[in-house]
Protein backbone atom coordinates (compact mmCIF):
# COMPACT_ATOMS: atom_id res chain seq x y z
CA UNK A 1 0.00 0.00 0.00
CA UNK A 2 1.42 3.37 -0.93
CA UNK A 3 0.43 6.79 0.28
CA UNK A 4 1.45 10.00 -1.41
CA UNK A 5 1.48 13.37 0.32
CA UNK A 6 2.97 16.74 -0.64
CA UNK A 7 6.35 15.14 -0.35
CA UNK A 8 6.22 11.51 -1.36
CA UNK A 9 5.86 9.34 1.70
CA UNK A 10 5.73 5.59 1.28
CA UNK A 11 4.62 3.17 3.93
CA UNK A 12 3.48 -0.42 3.80
CA UNK A 13 0.86 -2.48 5.63
CA UNK A 14 -0.11 -6.02 4.79
CA UNK A 15 -3.69 -7.23 5.02
CA UNK A 16 -2.81 -10.73 3.81
CA UNK A 17 -0.73 -11.55 6.91
CA UNK A 18 -3.41 -10.47 9.35
CA UNK A 19 -7.07 -10.96 10.13
CA UNK A 20 -9.27 -8.26 8.65
CA UNK A 21 -10.10 -7.05 12.18
CA UNK A 22 -6.40 -6.72 13.05
CA UNK A 23 -5.67 -5.05 9.71
CA UNK A 24 -8.53 -2.58 10.22
CA UNK A 25 -7.17 -1.71 13.67
CA UNK A 26 -3.65 -1.22 12.27
CA UNK A 27 -4.98 0.74 9.29
CA UNK A 28 -7.05 2.90 11.65
CA UNK A 29 -3.89 3.69 13.68
CA UNK A 30 -1.99 4.46 10.46
CA UNK A 31 -4.75 6.77 9.21
CA UNK A 32 -4.91 8.48 12.59
CA UNK A 33 -1.32 9.63 12.03
CA UNK A 34 -1.58 10.19 8.29
CA UNK A 35 -4.81 12.18 8.29
CA UNK A 36 -3.24 14.85 10.50
CA UNK A 37 -0.57 15.66 7.93
CA UNK A 38 -1.30 18.58 5.63
CA UNK A 39 -1.68 18.15 1.90
CA UNK A 40 -3.20 15.81 -0.59
CA UNK A 41 -3.36 12.08 -0.02
CA UNK A 42 -3.69 8.99 -2.20
CA UNK A 43 -3.58 5.52 -0.75
CA UNK A 44 -3.55 2.77 -3.37
CA UNK A 45 -2.90 -0.93 -3.35
CA UNK A 46 -4.04 -4.48 -2.76
CA UNK A 47 -6.11 -4.57 0.42
CA UNK A 48 -7.32 -8.19 0.00
CA UNK A 49 -10.72 -7.17 1.37
CA UNK A 50 -13.77 -7.88 -0.82
CA UNK A 51 -15.45 -4.47 -0.74
CA UNK A 52 -17.96 -5.37 -3.45
CA UNK A 53 -20.36 -6.98 -0.94
CA UNK A 54 -21.75 -4.27 1.38
CA UNK A 55 -23.28 -6.91 3.72
CA UNK A 56 -20.00 -8.75 4.35
CA UNK A 57 -18.84 -8.18 7.96
CA UNK A 58 -15.22 -7.58 6.86
CA UNK A 59 -16.38 -5.04 4.28
CA UNK A 60 -18.46 -3.29 6.93
CA UNK A 61 -15.46 -3.06 9.29
CA UNK A 62 -13.23 -1.68 6.53
CA UNK A 63 -15.83 0.81 5.26
CA UNK A 64 -16.38 2.01 8.83
CA UNK A 65 -12.67 2.92 8.99
CA UNK A 66 -12.93 4.75 5.64
CA UNK A 67 -16.03 6.62 6.83
CA UNK A 68 -14.38 7.56 10.13
CA UNK A 69 -11.59 9.31 8.20
CA UNK A 70 -13.86 10.65 5.46
CA UNK A 71 -12.10 8.68 2.69
CA UNK A 72 -13.48 7.79 -0.72
CA UNK A 73 -12.79 4.50 -2.54
CA UNK A 74 -12.65 4.98 -6.35
CA UNK A 75 -12.42 1.47 -7.83
CA UNK A 76 -15.85 0.02 -8.59
CA UNK A 77 -15.13 -3.05 -10.71
CA UNK A 78 -13.48 -6.42 -10.00
CA UNK A 79 -9.69 -6.28 -9.67
CA UNK A 80 -9.03 -9.99 -9.14
CA UNK A 81 -9.10 -12.75 -11.75
CA UNK A 82 -11.43 -14.72 -9.47
CA UNK A 83 -13.75 -11.72 -9.09
CA UNK A 84 -14.00 -9.20 -6.30
CA UNK A 85 -12.70 -5.69 -5.74
CA UNK A 86 -9.54 -6.19 -3.68
CA UNK A 87 -7.38 -3.35 -5.04
CA UNK A 88 -8.38 0.18 -4.16
CA UNK A 89 -7.57 3.84 -4.64
CA UNK A 90 -8.46 6.00 -1.63
CA UNK A 91 -8.52 9.79 -1.30
CA UNK A 92 -9.95 12.34 1.11
CA UNK A 93 -13.57 13.36 0.44
CA UNK A 94 -13.30 16.95 1.69
CA UNK A 95 -13.27 19.34 -1.28
CA UNK A 96 -10.35 21.36 0.02
CA UNK A 97 -8.15 18.29 0.42
CA UNK A 98 -9.60 16.05 -2.30
CA UNK A 99 -7.71 14.87 -5.35
CA UNK A 100 -9.75 14.61 -8.53
CA UNK A 101 -9.55 10.98 -9.66
CA UNK A 102 -10.82 10.19 -13.15
CA UNK A 103 -10.58 7.57 -15.86
CA UNK A 104 -10.39 4.69 -13.37
CA UNK A 105 -9.90 1.53 -15.42
CA UNK A 106 -9.14 -2.08 -14.60
CA UNK A 107 -7.06 -4.00 -17.17
CA UNK A 108 -6.19 -7.66 -17.43
CA UNK A 109 -2.50 -8.42 -16.96
CA UNK A 110 -2.88 -12.20 -17.01
CA UNK A 111 -0.85 -12.59 -20.19
CA UNK A 112 1.95 -10.33 -19.00
CA UNK A 113 2.46 -11.41 -15.37
CA UNK A 114 1.80 -14.27 -13.03
CA UNK A 115 -0.30 -12.03 -10.77
CA UNK A 116 -3.90 -12.92 -10.06
CA UNK A 117 -4.67 -9.21 -9.69
CA UNK A 118 -5.63 -6.89 -12.51
CA UNK A 119 -3.96 -3.56 -13.25
CA UNK A 120 -5.79 -0.53 -11.83
CA UNK A 121 -5.10 2.60 -13.86
CA UNK A 122 -6.36 6.10 -13.05
CA UNK A 123 -5.69 9.76 -13.67
CA UNK A 124 -5.52 12.41 -11.00
CA UNK A 125 -5.10 16.14 -10.92
CA UNK A 126 -4.38 18.37 -7.99
CA UNK A 127 -2.74 21.68 -7.31
CA UNK A 128 0.27 22.04 -5.07
CA UNK A 129 2.62 24.80 -4.00
CA UNK A 130 4.41 24.76 -7.38
CA UNK A 131 1.13 25.15 -9.28
CA UNK A 132 -0.50 22.61 -11.55
CA UNK A 133 1.70 20.30 -13.54
CA UNK A 134 1.23 16.89 -15.06
CA UNK A 135 3.24 14.05 -13.55
CA UNK A 136 2.96 10.51 -14.86
CA UNK A 137 3.78 7.79 -12.35
CA UNK A 138 3.63 4.08 -13.09
CA UNK A 139 4.02 1.17 -10.73
CA UNK A 140 5.49 -1.26 -13.22
CA UNK A 141 6.12 -1.30 -16.92
CA UNK A 142 4.07 -4.22 -18.21
CA UNK A 143 5.57 -3.98 -21.72
CA UNK A 144 9.03 -4.86 -20.42
CA UNK A 145 8.05 -8.06 -18.61
CA UNK A 146 9.57 -11.11 -20.28
CA UNK A 147 6.89 -13.82 -20.29
CA UNK A 148 8.97 -16.44 -22.11
Amino acid sequence: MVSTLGTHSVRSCTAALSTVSNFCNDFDDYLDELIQLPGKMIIAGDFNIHVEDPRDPDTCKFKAVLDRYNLRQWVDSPTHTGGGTLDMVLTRRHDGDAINISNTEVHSTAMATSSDHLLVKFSCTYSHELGQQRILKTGRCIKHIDIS
Side-chain angles (χ1 to χ4, degrees), residues 27-123:
F27 192 54
D28 191 294
D29 291 344
Y30 171 63
L31 288 173
D32 199 43
E33 294 175 26
L34 187 65
I35 209 78
Q36 296 177 42
L37 298 174
K40 310 298 184 187
M41 178 177 69
I42 296 176
I43 301 172
D46 171 10
F47 286 79
N48 274 328
I49 299 171
H50 285 269
V51 295
E52 72 277 0
D53 182 1
R55 296 171 308 215
D56 181 80
D58 290 340
T59 299
C60 293
K61 288 175 195 167
F62 183 71
K63 287 193 173 186
V65 173
L66 298 184
D67 289 345
R68 187 169 22 263
Y69 292 98
N70 203 21
L71 298 177
R72 178 175 177 186
Q73 200 289 107
W74 290 87
V75 181
D76 60 3
S77 58
T79 63
H80 190 267
T81 56
T85 305
L86 305 176
D87 304 271
M88 295 174 237
V89 176
L90 308 173
T91 62
R92 299 177 199 241
R93 285 182 204 234
H94 185 266
D95 288 339
D97 294 328
I99 294 177
N100 182 28
I101 301 289
S102 60
N103 304 320
T104 304
E105 302 171 359
V106 177
H107 298 276
S108 174
T109 60
M111 296 302 290
T113 72
S114 60
S115 176
D116 57 351
H117 289 259
L118 306 177
L119 173 69
V120 176
K121 182 179 172 185
F122 62 93
S123 299

